[in-house]
Amino acid sequence: MDTRRQAKFLYWQGFRVARVAEILGEKNATVHSWKKRDQWEETQPMERVEGVLEARLIQLIMKDPKEGRDFKEIDLLGRQVERFARVRRYEQPGGHEGDLNPRVANRNAGPRQKKAKNEYTEEQLEKLQGIFHAEMFGYQKHWYRASLKHRIRNILKSRQIGATYYFAHEALLDAMETGRNQIFLSASKAQAHVFKQYIIAFAKEADIELTGDPIVLPNGATLYFLGTNARTAQSYHGNLYFDEYFWTYRFQELRKVASGMAMHKKWRQTYFSTPSSLSHDAYPYWSGDLFNKGRAKADKIEVDISHDALKNGCLCADGQWRHIVTVQDAIAQGCDLFDIDQLRLEYSEPEFQNLLMCEFVDDNASLFGMLMMQRCMVDSWEIWDDFKPFAERPVGNTPVWLGYDPNGESETGDNAGLAVILPPDKPGGKYRIIERKQLRGLDYEDQAEQIRALTKRYNVVHIGIDTTGIGSSVYQLVRKFFPAATAYQYNPDVKGTLVMKAYNIISKGLLEFDAGWVDVAQSFMAIRKTTTASGRHITYVAGRNGTVGHADLAWAVMHALDKAPLDTSADSTTGTDASMMEIYE
């Protein structure tokens, strides 16, 4: 570009003549002469922008070789040329709004065409792309770069670092840009629909309304949301996203079907999960042992799955790109969603290591092992015909039981657990956890109000509350609107009886909850048997405090299950049987 034109563009950017001369190494008088002869001041704003646009477009077209970003910019500038041409027509005598927007001109021409379902414009797509790249944390940028190079991503992650959120956005953009199908697979249909909720919310940020199940885009891309019924979904094909795969039942069986959906080389496979137990049948897939199974010794590989080896992501010898992201890694790479010191107070060390530091549990010491809890995990949307989760009264007037656990002696109200149990209507039936909540940072009045809200949503006939610490305050408030609430003051006998009744129900396969609720399974798996400080009594703990422990959701469930009869196979489950433990009220 000649110096005279550069001077003009710099002046239009707001530089004074003296500064332009200094930048270009010219005399002030020379630049003043150019300004006067070329009428820089008289040039209209639109002409200024068009001149700069023309120069940049020509520069990019003449560039050789071109990079991918050059083609993108050429396309963008070309659309701006079209836009300026429409503005020029609008400025001419007789110009109208239709010159700026052709859709306006056709609005009343002939029969009105119905807007295509899930339609979007190039501008809306560009807006989503900008949001996507601007919001990414460092570890999500690793995931994005890996998606451009590797077919299989396998990610072990801390809880709540935004993996499902990120992959929902990534998949939608890929579907819009390439027309490729996207398959979201989770332990349950309800959990798979978390992807759908994130996708719909993301699209709305660019004023795009997405509907349907599956979601079908105008370019032909289809977004499927599947639970465990995907075992029969052999005909689906597309990019695969397998969420919380370390918590699915019969993973090896499901993986064969799932990987078959993404067998062609153009499809990506993404597996991501928080860790569960070393005994889970997905562990060999993560560790590389599954790859080695049945291979000759010379063909076997070693996969280093240590945090040091995988904290930045690594392509392993079995073709999988593996990555480990702990909560500390997430914080170090820009995630500002956590208070690490507070988390250490809220969770015991074993829980902290498992939930947030990506360490697997050796459940040999757990009273409720992984295999036992997996039997409880079902696809609730598929098999619970009498439960309507989005209805005002999900189970109508059927009686339910509530359990509440304040979890600790702190008056802060952190880490309370609340569970709703739907008992069976006949002996030998299933006890179903139909709702659960973890309440953090609420005072006792707010927690009591959470319980009150559930009594309006359900026909509650039993509420069991641990009155340790803040639980006592909550109990006093709950009794004002539910006088029959039952209080439990923990001691080894009380805890032992609670645990044994729950163990009896679970070991017989009589407890069910949605397979997407991995926090419930984790809570039960944290409970282990130990002795009191004196060594004379057996008790059960799940955290630092030998008297109360953690695993708030598990204890909440057990407070509700205390309503069940001793003989779960013979007696009525909705009567007024006395508790099997000593109750202090």
Side-chain angles (χ1 to χ4, degrees):
M1 186 184 299
D2 65 274
T3 305
R4 188 167 177 170
R5 178 172 293 189
Q6 283 183 311
K8 177 171 61 175
F9 290 165
L10 287 171
Y11 183 78
W12 285 346
Q13 290 180 55
F15 290 98
R16 298 174 62 185
V17 169
R19 179 60 177 151
V20 172
E22 180 184 344
I23 293 173
L24 299 179
E26 295 287 346
K27 295 179 180 178
N28 284 1
T30 301
V31 177
H32 273 292
S33 175
W34 291 343
K35 173 187 172 186
K36 183 176 181 180
R37 292 179 184 179
D38 296 340
Q39 297 182 321
W40 293 357
E41 285 284 1
E42 289 74 21
T43 305
Q44 295 299 313
M46 183 69 73
E47 294 177 2
R48 299 183 188 188
V49 176
E50 286 179 324
V52 176
L53 180 65
E54 175 192 1
R56 179 59 177 168
L57 191 54
I58 293 173
Q59 181 184 28
L60 289 169
I61 292 172
M62 297 300 295
K63 182 180 178 182
D64 190 27
K66 297 180 179 64
E67 301 177 26
R69 60 184 179 183
D70 297 328
F71 289 106
K72 273 192 171 183
E73 189 173 355
I74 289 172
D75 180 63
L76 173 63
L77 296 179
R79 289 199 296 273
Q80 305 316 308
V81 170
E82 294 175 6
R83 182 174 295 174
F84 288 138
R86 292 199 296 269
V87 173
R88 287 294 187 196
R89 287 198 299 271
Y90 176 72
E91 291 176 339
Q92 296 299 319
H96 53 83
E97 188 181 354
D99 294 326
L100 295 176
N101 186 356
R103 293 183 181 181
V104 173
N106 297 326
R107 183 176 296 165
N108 298 315
R112 180 174 296 181
Q113 293 184 348
K114 186 177 180 180
K115 183 180 178 181
K117 185 177 181 181
N118 299 330
E119 187 179 47
Y120 57 90
T121 65
E122 285 293 324
E123 289 76 12
Q124 289 172 315
L125 174 56
E126 288 174 10
K127 183 175 181 179
L128 289 182
Q129 290 169 333
I131 295 171
F132 175 69
H133 289 286
E135 286 184 344
M136 278 192 284
F137 296 128
Y139 52 93
Q140 293 169 332
K141 292 178 181 178
H142 281 314
W143 299 343
Y144 177 74
R145 288 191 290 266
S147 74
L148 304 178
K149 300 178 182 178
H150 308 299
R151 204 172 88 85
I152 301 178
R153 293 175 293 179
N154 196 345
I155 298 162
L156 193 68
K157 67 177 189 70
S158 164
R159 285 181 66 181
Q160 300 296 318
I161 63 168
T164 305
Y165 177 88
Y166 165 82
F167 287 121
H169 293 190
E170 176 192 271
L172 176 61
L173 286 179
D174 184 83
M176 296 171 77
E177 293 166 353
T178 70
R180 292 191 292 193
N181 296 342
Q182 314 292 323
I183 302 170
F184 305 95
L185 184 60
S186 295
S188 70
K189 185 94 170 176
Q191 184 65 20
H193 271 243
V194 174
F195 281 109
K196 184 177 179 181
Q197 294 164 9
Y198 284 143
I199 286 171
I200 291 174
F202 183 42
K204 283 183 178 178
E205 294 189 47
D207 298 321
I208 302 172
E209 294 291 334
L210 296 181
T211 59
D213 190 0
I215 294 174
V216 181
L217 301 182
N219 63 5
T222 303
L223 285 66
Y224 300 98
F225 306 93
L226 308 175
T228 52
N229 61 340
R231 291 188 181 92
T232 60
Q234 303 277 3
S235 60
Y236 295 153
H237 57 275
N239 290 335
L240 172 69
Y241 292 89
F242 199 152
D243 181 20
E244 293 293 6
Y245 74 92
F246 266 111
W247 296 92
T248 57
Y249 186 52
R250 295 180 179 174
F251 167 77
Q252 295 294 356
E253 173 188 331
L254 191 55
R255 187 192 68 85
K256 290 178 182 179
V257 176
S259 61
M261 300 176 190
M263 188 172 291
H264 294 170
K265 64 181 180 181
K266 67 177 180 177
W267 307 124
R268 292 195 306 248
Q269 298 179 38
T270 304
Y271 300 82
F272 61 102
S273 181
T274 52
S276 58
S277 163
L278 292 170
S279 63
H280 194 279
D281 63 346
Y283 188 79
Y285 182 69
W286 166 256
S287 67
D289 291 343
L290 184 63
F291 179 89
N292 289 330
K293 187 177 180 180
R295 295 180 186 269
K297 187 175 182 180
D299 297 328
K300 292 185 177 181
I301 63 169
E302 289 188 11
V303 178
D304 186 350
I305 55 173
S306 67
H307 177 254
D308 286 342
L310 301 179
K311 64 182 179 181
N312 294 317
C314 178
L315 178 62
C316 301
D318 59 355
Q320 296 186 42
W321 182 85
R322 289 179 172 83
H323 193 202
I324 294 178
V325 187
T326 68
V327 68
Q328 291 179 342
D329 295 331
I331 293 171
Q333 295 180 55
C335 182
D336 57 358
L337 306 176
F338 301 99
D339 181 338
I340 194 73
D341 295 327
Q342 182 62 31
L343 289 175
R344 289 191 179 277
L345 293 175
E346 294 179 10
Y347 293 101
S348 67
E349 187 60 24
E351 284 181 312
F352 186 88
Q353 293 299 319
N354 174 235
L355 302 179
L356 302 169
M357 296 302 291
C358 300
E359 288 192 8
F360 288 87
V361 173
D362 183 355
D363 62 349
N364 289 329
S366 299
L367 184 66
F368 300 93
M370 183 72 210
L371 295 178
M372 180 184 291
M373 297 311 302
Q374 277 191 308
R375 294 176 61 194
C376 305
M377 302 171 77
V378 300
D379 195 337
S380 64
W381 284 17
E382 295 290 331
I383 70 171
W384 292 354
D385 295 334
D386 57 342
F387 176 59
K388 311 299 180 186
F390 302 113
E392 186 175 347
R393 302 277 291 183
V395 292
N397 203 42
T398 304
V400 301
W401 307 334
L402 264 60
Y404 164 80
D405 178 64
N407 205 26
E409 299 179 349
S410 168
E411 293 295 324
T412 63
D414 291 328
N415 267 9
L418 187 57
V420 181
I421 302 290
L422 178 64
D425 56 3
K426 58 184 178 181
K430 300 293 181 71
Y431 296 83
R432 292 177 283 174
I433 308 174
I434 58 175
E435 191 163 335
R436 95 289 191 220
K437 293 183 178 181
Q438 285 186 297
L439 311 177
R440 304 180 190 279
L442 301 181
D443 61 26
Y444 59 87
E445 291 181 339
D446 290 333
Q447 293 185 49
E449 191 55 39
Q450 292 284 333
I451 297 173
R452 181 200 293 270
L454 291 177
T455 63
K456 297 177 180 179
R457 183 170 164 84
Y458 299 98
N459 176 20
V460 178
V461 298
H462 165 74
I463 299 179
I465 300 178
D466 169 20
T467 56
T468 305
I470 193 175
S472 178
S473 301
V474 175
Y475 172 70
Q476 296 301 326
L477 291 176
V478 169
R479 286 198 63 178
K480 292 181 180 180
F481 60 83
F482 196 89
T486 301
Y488 302 103
Q489 183 68 41
Y490 275 0
N491 61 39
D493 292 336
V494 169
K495 293 181 70 177
T497 310
L498 275 174
V499 170
M500 286 298 99
K501 180 177 279 192
Y503 185 89
N504 180 49
I505 291 173
I506 293 173
S507 64
K508 290 180 179 179
L510 298 180
L511 183 70
E512 289 183 346
F513 57 89
D514 190 86
W517 294 357
V518 299
D519 49 356
V520 176
Q522 287 171 322
S523 192
F524 272 99
M525 289 170 59
I527 296 174
R528 66 185 189 276
K529 184 190 295 186
T530 186
T531 59
T532 59
S534 66
R536 292 181 292 180
H537 298 282
I538 296 293
T539 189
Y540 299 88
V541 298
R544 296 179 297 272
N545 189 314
T547 302
V548 180
H550 282 320
D552 48 284
L553 284 176
W555 292 114
V557 170
M558 287 189 277
H559 296 154
L561 286 178
D562 180 53
K563 184 64 174 173
L566 288 172
D567 184 355
T568 55
S569 63
D571 207 344
S572 169
T573 59
T574 57
T576 57
D577 307 281
S579 170
M580 65 183 291
M581 68 175 62
E582 183 176 4
I583 300 173
Y584 297 84
E585 294 185 282

Coordinates of all heavy atoms in Angstrom, one line a residue, residues 482-519:
F482 N -45.5 -29.3 60.4 CA -45.6 -30.8 60.3 C -45.3 -31.4 61.7 O -44.2 -31.8 62.0 CB -44.7 -31.3 59.3 CG -45.0 -32.7 58.9 CD1 -45.8 -33.0 57.8 CD2 -44.4 -33.8 59.5 CE1 -46.1 -34.3 57.4 CE2 -44.7 -35.1 59.1 CZ -45.6 -35.3 58.1
P483 N -46.3 -31.3 62.6 CA -46.1 -31.7 64.0 C -45.6 -33.2 64.2 O -44.9 -33.5 65.2 CB -47.5 -31.6 64.7 CG -48.2 -30.6 63.8 CD -47.7 -30.9 62.4
A484 N -45.8 -34.0 63.2 CA -45.4 -35.4 63.3 C -44.0 -35.7 62.9 O -43.6 -36.9 62.8 CB -46.4 -36.3 62.4
A485 N -43.2 -34.7 62.6 CA -41.8 -34.8 62.2 C -41.1 -35.6 63.3 O -41.3 -35.5 64.5 CB -41.1 -33.5 62.0
T486 N -40.2 -36.5 62.8 CA -39.4 -37.4 63.7 C -38.0 -36.9 63.8 O -37.3 -36.6 62.8 CB -39.4 -38.8 63.2 OG1 -40.8 -39.3 63.1 CG2 -38.7 -39.8 64.1
A487 N -37.5 -36.8 65.1 CA -36.1 -36.3 65.3 C -35.2 -37.5 65.6 O -35.6 -38.4 66.4 CB -36.1 -35.3 66.4
Y488 N -34.0 -37.4 65.1 CA -33.0 -38.5 65.4 C -31.8 -37.8 66.1 O -31.1 -36.9 65.4 CB -32.6 -39.2 64.2 CG -33.7 -39.9 63.4 CD1 -34.2 -39.3 62.3 CD2 -34.3 -41.0 63.9 CE1 -35.3 -39.9 61.6 CE2 -35.3 -41.7 63.2 CZ -35.8 -41.1 62.1 OH -36.9 -41.6 61.4
Q489 N -31.4 -38.2 67.3 CA -30.2 -37.7 67.9 C -29.2 -38.8 67.8 O -29.4 -39.9 68.4 CB -30.5 -37.4 69.4 CG -29.3 -36.8 70.1 CD -28.9 -35.4 69.6 OE1 -29.8 -34.6 69.3 NE2 -27.6 -35.2 69.4
Y490 N -28.2 -38.6 67.1 CA -27.2 -39.7 66.7 C -26.5 -40.2 67.9 O -26.0 -39.5 68.8 CB -26.2 -39.2 65.7 CG -26.7 -39.3 64.2 CD1 -28.0 -39.8 63.9 CD2 -25.9 -38.9 63.2 CE1 -28.5 -39.9 62.6 CE2 -26.4 -39.0 61.9 CZ -27.6 -39.5 61.6 OH -28.1 -39.5 60.3
N491 N -26.4 -41.6 67.9 CA -25.4 -42.3 68.8 C -25.1 -43.6 68.0 O -25.7 -43.8 67.0 CB -26.0 -42.6 70.2 CG -27.3 -43.4 70.1 OD1 -27.4 -44.3 69.3 ND2 -28.2 -43.1 71.0
P492 N -24.1 -44.4 68.4 CA -23.8 -45.6 67.6 C -25.0 -46.5 67.3 O -25.1 -47.1 66.2 CB -22.7 -46.3 68.5 CG -22.1 -45.1 69.2 CD -23.2 -44.2 69.5
D493 N -25.9 -46.7 68.3 CA -27.0 -47.6 68.1 C -28.0 -47.0 67.0 O -28.5 -47.7 66.2 CB -27.8 -47.8 69.4 CG -26.9 -48.6 70.4 OD1 -26.0 -49.3 69.9 OD2 -27.2 -48.5 71.6
V494 N -28.3 -45.7 67.1 CA -29.2 -45.1 66.2 C -28.6 -45.2 64.8 O -29.3 -45.6 63.8 CB -29.4 -43.6 66.6 CG1 -30.1 -42.9 65.4 CG2 -30.2 -43.5 67.8
K495 N -27.3 -44.8 64.6 CA -26.7 -44.8 63.3 C -26.6 -46.2 62.7 O -26.9 -46.5 61.6 CB -25.3 -44.2 63.3 CG -25.3 -42.7 63.6 CD -23.9 -42.2 63.7 CE -23.3 -42.2 62.3 NZ -21.9 -41.5 62.3
G496 N -26.3 -47.2 63.6 CA -26.2 -48.6 63.2 C -27.5 -49.1 62.7 O -27.6 -49.8 61.6
T497 N -28.6 -48.8 63.4 CA -29.9 -49.3 62.9 C -30.4 -48.6 61.6 O -31.0 -49.3 60.8 CB -31.0 -49.0 64.0 OG1 -30.5 -49.5 65.3 CG2 -32.3 -49.7 63.7
L498 N -30.1 -47.3 61.5 CA -30.4 -46.6 60.2 C -29.7 -47.3 59.1 O -30.3 -47.6 58.0 CB -30.0 -45.2 60.3 CG -30.9 -44.1 60.9 CD1 -30.2 -42.8 61.0 CD2 -32.2 -44.0 60.1
V499 N -28.4 -47.5 59.2 CA -27.6 -48.1 58.2 C -28.0 -49.5 57.8 O -28.2 -49.9 56.7 CB -26.1 -48.1 58.5 CG1 -25.3 -48.9 57.5 CG2 -25.6 -46.6 58.6
M500 N -28.3 -50.3 58.9 CA -28.7 -51.7 58.6 C -30.0 -51.8 57.9 O -30.2 -52.7 57.1 CB -28.7 -52.5 59.9 CG -27.3 -52.8 60.5 SD -26.3 -53.8 59.3 CE -25.3 -52.6 58.5
K501 N -31.0 -50.9 58.2 CA -32.2 -51.0 57.5 C -32.0 -50.6 56.1 O -32.6 -51.3 55.2 CB -33.3 -50.1 58.2 CG -34.6 -50.1 57.5 CD -35.7 -49.2 58.1 CE -36.3 -50.0 59.3 NZ -37.5 -49.3 59.8
A502 N -31.3 -49.6 55.8 CA -31.0 -49.2 54.4 C -30.3 -50.3 53.7 O -30.6 -50.6 52.5 CB -30.2 -47.9 54.4
Y503 N -29.3 -50.9 54.4 CA -28.5 -52.0 53.7 C -29.4 -53.2 53.4 O -29.3 -53.8 52.3 CB -27.4 -52.5 54.7 CG -26.5 -53.5 54.1 CD1 -25.4 -53.1 53.4 CD2 -26.7 -54.9 54.2 CE1 -24.5 -54.0 52.8 CE2 -25.9 -55.8 53.6 CZ -24.8 -55.4 52.9 OH -23.9 -56.3 52.4
N504 N -30.4 -53.5 54.3 CA -31.3 -54.6 54.0 C -32.2 -54.3 52.8 O -32.4 -55.2 51.9 CB -32.2 -54.7 55.2 CG -33.2 -55.8 55.1 OD1 -32.9 -56.9 54.7 ND2 -34.5 -55.5 55.3
I505 N -32.6 -53.0 52.6 CA -33.4 -52.7 51.4 C -32.6 -52.7 50.2 O -33.0 -53.2 49.1 CB -34.1 -51.3 51.7 CG1 -35.1 -51.4 52.8 CG2 -34.7 -50.7 50.4 CD1 -35.7 -50.0 53.2
I506 N -31.4 -52.1 50.2 CA -30.6 -52.0 49.0 C -30.0 -53.4 48.6 O -30.0 -53.7 47.4 CB -29.4 -51.0 49.3 CG1 -30.0 -49.6 49.4 CG2 -28.4 -51.0 48.1 CD1 -29.0 -48.5 49.9
S507 N -29.6 -54.2 49.5 CA -29.0 -55.5 49.2 C -30.1 -56.4 48.5 O -29.7 -57.3 47.8 CB -28.4 -56.1 50.4 OG -29.5 -56.4 51.4
K508 N -31.4 -56.1 48.8 CA -32.4 -56.9 48.2 C -32.9 -56.4 46.9 O -33.8 -56.9 46.3 CB -33.6 -57.0 49.2 CG -33.4 -57.8 50.4 CD -34.6 -57.8 51.3 CE -34.4 -58.7 52.5 NZ -35.6 -58.7 53.4
G509 N -32.2 -55.3 46.4 CA -32.6 -54.7 45.2 C -33.9 -53.9 45.2 O -34.6 -53.8 44.2
L510 N -34.2 -53.4 46.4 CA -35.5 -52.7 46.5 C -35.5 -51.2 46.5 O -36.5 -50.5 46.8 CB -36.2 -53.2 47.9 CG -36.5 -54.7 48.0 CD1 -37.1 -55.0 49.3 CD2 -37.4 -55.1 46.8
L511 N -34.3 -50.6 46.3 CA -34.2 -49.2 46.2 C -33.8 -48.8 44.7 O -33.0 -49.4 44.1 CB -33.1 -48.6 47.1 CG -32.9 -47.1 47.1 CD1 -34.1 -46.4 47.8 CD2 -31.6 -46.7 47.8
E512 N -34.5 -47.7 44.2 CA -34.2 -47.2 42.9 C -34.1 -45.7 42.9 O -34.8 -45.0 43.7 CB -35.4 -47.6 41.9 CG -35.4 -49.0 41.6 CD -36.5 -49.4 40.6 OE1 -37.4 -48.5 40.4 OE2 -36.5 -50.5 40.0
F513 N -33.2 -45.2 42.1 CA -33.1 -43.8 41.8 C -32.5 -43.6 40.4 O -32.0 -44.5 39.8 CB -32.2 -43.0 42.9 CG -30.8 -43.6 43.0 CD1 -29.8 -43.1 42.2 CD2 -30.6 -44.6 43.9 CE1 -28.5 -43.5 42.4 CE2 -29.3 -45.0 44.1 CZ -28.2 -44.5 43.3
D514 N -32.7 -42.4 39.9 CA -32.3 -42.1 38.5 C -30.8 -42.3 38.3 O -30.0 -41.8 39.2 CB -32.7 -40.7 38.1 CG -32.5 -40.5 36.6 OD1 -33.4 -40.8 35.8 OD2 -31.4 -40.0 36.2
A515 N -30.4 -43.0 37.3 CA -29.0 -43.3 37.1 C -28.1 -42.1 36.9 O -26.9 -42.1 37.0 CB -28.9 -44.2 35.8
G516 N -28.8 -40.9 36.5 CA -28.0 -39.7 36.4 C -27.6 -39.1 37.7 O -26.7 -38.2 37.7
W517 N -28.2 -39.6 38.8 CA -27.9 -39.0 40.1 C -26.7 -39.7 40.7 O -26.8 -40.4 41.7 CB -29.1 -39.1 41.0 CG -30.3 -38.3 40.6 CD1 -30.3 -37.5 39.5 CD2 -31.6 -38.3 41.2 NE1 -31.6 -36.9 39.4 CE2 -32.4 -37.4 40.5 CE3 -32.1 -38.9 42.3 CZ2 -33.7 -37.1 40.8 CZ3 -33.4 -38.7 42.6 CH2 -34.2 -37.8 41.9
V518 N -25.5 -39.4 40.2 CA -24.3 -40.0 40.7 C -23.9 -39.6 42.1 O -23.3 -40.3 42.8 CB -23.1 -39.8 39.7 CG1 -23.4 -40.4 38.3 CG2 -22.8 -38.3 39.6
D519 N -24.4 -38.4 42.4 CA -24.1 -37.9 43.8 C -24.8 -38.7 44.9 O -24.2 -38.9 46.0 CB -24.6 -36.4 43.9 CG -26.0 -36.2 43.5 OD1 -26.7 -37.1 43.0 OD2 -26.5 -35.0 43.6

